[in-house]
Amino acid sequence: MLTRLPSLPARALRRLSARVLAFTTMAFLAACDLAIPGTDGNSGQEIDPSAPINVALLVPGGTGVGEMDAIAASLENSARMAISDLNGVTVNLTVYNTARDPATAAQQAAAAVANGAKIILGPLDATSANAVGVAVAPANVNVLAFSNNPAVAGGNVFVLGNTFSNVSDRLVEFATRQGVTRYMIVHQDDLPGAVGRDAIATSVRAAGSTIVGTESYPFNQQGIFARAPAIASAINANNAQAVFVTDNVAGGLPILATSLDDQGLNPSSSPLVGLTRWDAAPQIAELPGMQNGIFAMGDAGREAAFRNRYETSYGSQPHRLASIAYDGIAAIGALAATGDRNALTAASLTRSAGFAGATGVFRLRPDGSNQRALAVARIANNQISIVEAAPSSFGRGGS
């Protein structure tokens, strides 16, 4: 089957899909049955605008795993780079390792508050974010977590990661203007797949469009191969104008796209729409099944500027999550620069104008989730190009 793709060798496709079983979106871990931290009214510490702001950065170091140490270092570097960009605001940053353990994260957060931290930046994982929120809620301290899981948002916890709902809202809004009203949802049978499915369904229904069917597949190569004929048949039988997929380029997406192409699915009449970043592996643009597909990404100019600045400063590329740490400091600095003693309260953090981040403008919502301004990219002629730029500000109606 893979020999049908001379433009992308079978070896490269296998590399793209080698982590099908092992891949987990690191910031998006199970957060079932976790209580939202309770706070009374407008959570958050008062600050002295004329004094340095004590910020605690919780990173996933201390696990003994090299990859986690690299992520921790990249997050810290990004936060310090953001501090150097602040005008008229001094941030005292103290870094704490969580070892990717909720109990350790909660202990470190409590220690940070005891040491004078006015706000917590991090941790990485959803379960740890919840534990930290609970631990520091009695001290009335807000948490800007790196997770993208809205299940742990609320109370004193805000998630900075780009949520599935934010992505699906943007793509459905764009596709609607192109005349797309009939969607098939295809998702991998795991937690991110199920949450992504529900986010897509909510966005489609809110736009007044129709979900013509929902198909799933086991999160492994043979499962995708086995399910592909039925999925392709359902797409065609229901006249789906777009196939909204939840999988990613490091997981099962390359195999899914190839398998659907093998089944004769026409990407011109039923293109893929992606909930994840496809440019993480640009070679996927060479797959016939990916042609005409669209996905969302940040502001390309801002992303490039951030990446180049990071590489110049630290001699290496930033981890894909590093920009979120920059955004957290940027938000804290922008609010503190107003001279408001309540700059770090929930009411201030959720200002409607939002903040200028490393990958575009973003804002935090009262429910603890976020909205990020996103560009729309399309694959055509084996290349990825921007077809609609990310908005530079939030206008009326949140656009």
Side-chain angles (χ1 to χ4, degrees), residues 116-187:
K118 297 296 185 180
I119 194 166
I120 306 289
L121 183 56
L124 177 64
D125 302 311
T127 47
S128 293
N130 182 264
V132 168
V134 171
V136 303
N140 200 33
V141 172
N142 284 323
V143 179
L144 304 182
F146 298 137
S147 174
N148 67 337
N149 190 341
V152 298
N156 64 330
V157 176
F158 299 84
V159 294
L160 289 172
N162 195 12
T163 67
F164 289 160
S165 294
N166 188 60
V167 175
S168 59
D169 283 349
R170 174 67 166 114
L171 291 172
V172 168
E173 184 271 336
F174 173 83
T176 298
R177 288 188 276 110
Q178 314 308 309
V180 176
T181 60
R182 297 174 60 82
Y183 295 84
M184 176 71 70
I185 301 175
V186 179
H187 67 95

